[in-house]
Amino acid sequence: MEAHQHSPDTSSEECTVLEAPPGKNSCPQHAAKVADVFCSACECALCSDCVPEHEQHPKVPLSQALEQHRSLLQERLGAVQTRLPQISDALSFVKEILHQLTSQRGSIEEDIQSSFEDLHKQLDVRKSVLLMELEVTYGLKQKVLQAQIDRLLRGDEDISSVCTQTEEALAGEACAANLQVERDLGERLGELAHLCIPSQPEENDQLDLILETDGLRKSIHNLGTILTTSAVASQSEAMGAGLEQSIVGLPASVTIVTRDKSGGACKSGNAILSAEVFTPDGSIVDGEIVDHKNGTYEFVYTVPKEGDFSLALRLYNQHIKGSPFKLKVIRASEVEVEVSPSTTTATNSAANATPSTGSSEGAKRRGKSPGQKKKGSKRASSALGTPRRKTQNPIEDDLIFKIGTKGRNKGEFTNLQGVAASSIGRILIADSNNQCVQIFSNEGEFKSRFGVRGRTPGQLQRPTGVAVHPSGDIIIADYDNKWVSIFTSEGKFKAKLGSGRLMGPKGVSVDQNGHVIVVDNKACTVFIFQLTGKLITKFGSRGNGDKQFAGPHFAAVNKNNEIIITDFHNHSVKVFTPEGELVLKFGSNGEGNGQFNAPTGVAVDTNGNIIVADWGNSRIQVFDGSGSFLSYINTSADPLYGPQGLALTSDGHVVVADSGNHCFKVYRYLQ
């Protein structure tokens, strides 16, 4: 009997409440106590003994807290479960692309096999190359798609697993003992709700083959090409005034820039692109797509009536970024109202210079004038345009001549890149995709060419940079062979340097001491060699710091023996001492004076002024030795398109590789 007596200060009722046997609602700190209060600040269950320690904290009944927690958990579960259909759709989509890619691969493989069966034994080598190229191309694309499928499957598995665990927890009784487990599940669900899962395809299923048999005996080593791009619709974009507004009856244009899964610009054409302008009632306006073969495309269209339209741009049958666009078509008479005051002045001046035949003709000129800018719209060629206002360039430099068209014969080019000029009046062009160097006089007369395609010393695989040594030797950077070749002035191979050190040499130059400067585009490093091949020094690494590079392209040397490098993806020009110490940096990303959109070629005149080819803006800018903007070379008569290498000829003119137009141009340069 005595054993069952209570202490004097404890009633029988209190014993029943506070000394209940351990259960699901037991206090975490006092196992013998029942928790019936929840501290919102500390997020824990409390018994009466714990309450004094949390006196200043907000508290609610435990039952209420458990109910709120369950409600939140249920809400998060619902939000995450909505991701499963998205993943399922993306998985099916990507699997279908992979299936089509595999089917295309099989079809092309059959075409290659059947085409080569009837050819002579000497075609076997080319057949093997094509099959290898197909396998590599397929492998790269298949790897991207398969990796995306694996990520989607992992995401599906992770979400399904956590959802199952959460559903099991919710099916059980709500209690303090499971509170931590349920909180962990809630956190995991929160993470999964924001999990970045690639729902858009990161590759496409394009694998095409071009197989030409005309002139087979002369061009057998070039037989067959695997056509594809890495462009994806979700990253590709469009720009230009034609996206937002056009004038009735006048052509309008839109520039499309294709990009890969990482947002990098594609450099080749042949993507499957479609475009249409349509009205709300469904009628479609015709237009034309021009493939510039460098990853950009132009859609030109004309709308016969005013009103509100839609412009749809699709890549591989998927809308590109921002598509479909809202398009407003206005009458020519309305253009004057939307032109800024400064532009109106320019229009009036143009009208005074050329007699007008009537208001409609005047409006037509205004609609086409490259110097005008509509309010709230982008310039039609903001990514690849020559500077539009002549007032920006007080020095009237003019095109003297241009040489070249696309082709493989002498005086024809396919992706010309590096340019050099010799002291004896010669212009040298690195014809990259034709695996040769072509030589012309300062007047544009063809003199000679040399180069044999191959991967052994003395052969060229992808010549990108060219320079002339004071000795007369010709120095060539070979990007794909990963070395620099040295030839005599007559084109006879002498030696190579940098093999085993270089990863992707792009530009070459020669300093005041006769040392060879090599810009390694892939390694983001500048190497300086003796002509014998001995490495003197190197500097630079990948990054966006002052002494780092992101895809450096070409180099020039000033009279102080300082090295000037164009930093392509950092949109700047950097000047270094021969030891690699930064002297000067100038430029930023943009279209204004002194800004760049991926600078490429560079040269220095006798006054120390720096001339830079601005690839993305398709222009040539001139700076003084301190990096201050001076002027533009006037290229408006025959606009550039993606200029690359640049040099000063011995008679003081500027020569530039107009890569997108498959020619080189010589401009009068007033120093």
Side-chain angles (χ1 to χ4, degrees):
M1 293 290 295
E2 199 171 272
H4 296 282
Q5 292 179 353
H6 303 295
S7 61
D9 59 347
T10 305
S11 69
S12 175
E13 184 179 353
E14 287 175 335
C15 180
T16 301
V17 174
L18 300 179
E19 297 185 8
K24 294 181 180 179
N25 287 333
S26 297
C27 176
Q29 301 297 326
H30 309 91
K33 304 290 184 179
V34 173
D36 59 355
V37 178
F38 183 80
C39 177
S40 300
C42 302
E43 295 188 346
C44 63
L46 309 175
C47 68
S48 59
D49 288 355
C50 300
V51 169
E53 300 176 11
H54 300 260
E55 184 177 358
Q56 303 299 324
H57 297 175
K59 297 177 285 293
V60 297
L62 179 60
S63 60
Q64 179 183 339
L66 291 174
E67 183 179 349
Q68 292 174 347
H69 179 75
R70 281 295 181 95
S71 176
L72 178 61
L73 195 61
Q74 184 67 48
E75 182 181 340
R76 290 183 176 177
L77 175 63
V80 172
Q81 284 177 329
T82 60
R83 301 293 304 277
L84 292 174
Q86 299 172 7
I87 294 176
S88 177
D89 291 344
L91 188 60
S92 299
F93 194 12
V94 176
K95 281 184 175 180
E96 176 62 23
I97 291 177
L98 179 57
H99 173 74
Q100 293 294 335
L101 180 69
T102 304
S103 176
Q104 285 291 93
R105 174 215 178 190
S107 176
I108 290 176
E109 187 171 7
E110 290 179 4
D111 290 344
I112 293 173
Q113 294 287 4
S114 61
S115 297
F116 276 93
E117 284 176 358
D118 299 331
L119 297 177
H120 197 264
K121 291 182 180 180
Q122 59 183 316
L123 297 178
D124 288 343
V125 174
R126 182 59 184 170
K127 179 181 71 172
S128 299
V129 170
L130 274 177
L131 289 172
M132 183 183 300
E133 185 180 345
L134 172 64
E135 198 62 33
V136 170
T137 305
Y138 168 79
L140 292 173
K141 297 170 80 70
Q142 184 268 348
K143 183 178 180 181
V144 172
L145 291 170
Q146 189 60 56
Q148 185 178 6
I149 289 174
D150 292 343
R151 291 199 300 275
L152 289 168
L153 289 173
R154 285 197 299 271
D156 181 84
E157 183 179 349
D158 290 346
I159 290 178
S160 298
S161 174
V162 175
C163 287
T164 300
Q165 295 175 37
T166 305
E167 289 170 344
E168 292 174 353
L170 291 171
E173 183 180 354
C175 61
N178 293 333
L179 189 60
Q180 184 59 45
V181 173
E182 293 181 1
R183 187 181 296 119
D184 292 342
L185 286 172
E187 291 177 358
R188 181 59 177 149
L189 286 170
E191 294 173 359
L192 290 173
H194 297 89
L195 180 65
C196 181
I197 299 177
S199 59
Q200 293 297 320
E202 296 181 345
E203 250 297 356
N204 58 64
D205 60 357
Q206 184 186 8
L207 274 179
D208 291 321
L209 173 70
I210 291 180
L211 196 64
E212 300 174 350
T213 55
D214 294 340
L216 183 60
R217 298 190 179 203
K218 295 182 179 179
S219 59
I220 195 167
H221 63 288
N222 292 318
L223 179 62
T225 301
I226 300 296
L227 288 183
T228 189
T229 76
S230 295
V232 293
S234 60
Q235 293 290 337
S236 299
E237 56 192 351
M239 60 192 68
L243 281 179
E244 301 174 358
Q245 182 175 289
S246 70
I247 300 172
V248 174
L250 295 182
S253 69
V254 174
T255 299
I256 300 100
V257 180
T258 55
R259 300 185 184 278
D260 60 23
K261 65 171 184 174
S262 302
C266 297
K267 300 298 178 64
S268 60
N270 302 302
I272 299 175
L273 187 72
S274 63
E276 59 182 7
V277 178
F278 54 92
T279 61
D281 61 10
S283 59
I284 298 176
V285 176
D286 291 332
E288 180 184 3
I289 297 177
V290 179
D291 184 352
H292 294 303
K293 302 299 183 181
N294 64 352
T296 68
Y297 304 77
E298 186 174 9
F299 175 54
V300 181
Y301 65 92
T302 304
V303 182
K305 61 181 180 179
E306 64 181 304
D308 294 325
F309 292 75
S310 293
L311 169 59
L313 299 172
R314 294 182 178 88
L315 181 67
Y316 300 106
N317 207 31
Q318 301 165 51
H319 283 285
I320 70 168
K321 193 182 298 183
S323 176
F325 302 92
K326 293 182 179 179
L327 174 65
K328 186 174 184 62
V329 182
I330 62 176
R331 296 189 304 273
S333 59
E334 298 177 20
V335 176
E336 191 69 36
V337 179
E338 300 190 14
V339 178
S340 63
S342 60
T343 308
T344 304
T345 302
T347 304
N348 293 337
S349 300
N352 292 335
T354 304
S356 174
T357 58
S359 60
S360 62
E361 282 300 311
K364 189 174 291 187
R365 281 200 301 276
R366 286 194 293 273
K368 290 184 177 180
S369 172
Q372 295 190 17
K373 213 188 248 189
K374 307 285 189 304
K375 284 186 177 179
S377 64
K378 295 181 180 179
R379 194 170 66 201
S381 55
S382 59
L384 296 167
T386 299
R388 297 307 183 104
R389 294 190 297 270
K390 287 189 176 182
T391 54
Q392 292 176 322
N393 181 11
I395 304 174
E396 291 296 327
D397 303 308
D398 296 316
L399 176 67
I400 301 174
F401 64 84
K402 66 176 182 179
I403 299 292
T405 57
K406 187 174 183 180
R408 298 189 177 277
N409 299 316
K410 65 180 183 179
E412 297 177 342
F413 307 98
T414 307
N415 192 21
L416 67 169
Q417 295 199 28
V419 174
S422 72
S423 59
I424 60 172
R426 295 290 182 264
I427 296 172
L428 293 83
I429 307 293
D431 192 359
S432 180
N433 287 14
N434 285 333
Q435 293 85 32
C436 70
V437 169
Q438 299 198 46
I439 304 176
F440 300 81
S441 70
N442 280 354
E443 293 73 33
E445 180 185 356
F446 177 82
K447 291 298 183 181
S448 64
R449 63 182 281 183
F450 66 89
V452 176
R453 180 181 181 180
R455 295 187 177 274
T456 60
Q459 296 180 321
L460 300 175
Q461 189 64 25
R462 189 181 173 190
T464 52
V466 60
V468 180
H469 195 271
S471 65
D473 289 339
I474 299 172
I475 303 166
I476 302 173
D478 194 326
Y479 190 93
D480 282 357
N481 278 332
K482 302 178 183 179
W483 63 56
V484 172
S485 296
I486 301 173
F487 293 82
T488 66
S489 57
E490 291 79 28
K492 294 182 179 180
F493 177 70
K494 293 180 65 175
K496 67 174 182 175
L497 56 85
S499 180
R501 295 183 184 270
L502 302 175
M503 296 175 61
K506 173 77 174 183
V508 287
S509 187
V510 180
D511 68 10
Q512 307 289 350
N513 301 317
H515 297 151
V516 179
I517 299 165
V518 183
V519 181
D520 194 323
N521 173 269
K522 200 168 185 179
C524 293
T525 302
V526 176
F527 292 83
I528 303 179
F529 295 93
Q530 291 181 351
L531 202 58
T532 59
K534 179 181 179 181
L535 178 66
I536 298 174
T537 188
K538 65 177 182 177
F539 59 88
S541 60
R542 185 179 303 276
N544 54 14
D546 287 348
K547 298 177 67 173
Q548 294 180 308
F549 304 103
H553 267 51
F554 293 99
V557 179
N558 64 20
K559 58 186 177 183
N560 297 325
N561 209 32
E562 294 168 335
I563 303 168
I564 305 166
I565 306 293
T566 51
D567 196 352
F568 190 82
H569 292 295
N570 283 330
H571 310 290
S572 60
V573 174
K574 298 175 180 177
V575 183
F576 297 87
T577 67
E579 294 73 36
E581 295 300 319
L582 182 70
V583 176
L584 173 67
K585 171 188 173 184
F586 61 91
S588 61
N589 189 17
E591 301 176 6
N593 295 352
Q595 292 185 308
F596 301 108
N597 183 5
T600 47
V602 61
V604 183
D605 68 19
T606 55
N607 296 322
N609 296 324
I610 301 170
I611 309 163
V612 183
D614 190 355
W615 181 84
N617 288 322
S618 284
R619 62 188 181 184
I620 301 172
Q621 300 191 68
V622 183
F623 302 82
D624 65 17
S626 64
S628 297
F629 173 80
L630 294 178
S631 67
Y632 294 105
I633 302 292
N634 190 344
T635 62
S636 58
D638 190 352
L640 298 170
Y641 193 79
Q644 293 233 23
L646 180 149
L648 274 171
T649 63
S650 57
D651 53 356
H653 300 315
V654 169
V655 56
V656 61
D658 191 355
S659 183
N661 288 320
H662 312 291
C663 66
F664 72 87
K665 294 175 179 176
V666 176
Y667 292 94
R668 186 174 295 105
Y669 176 65
L670 306 178
Q671 299 185 24

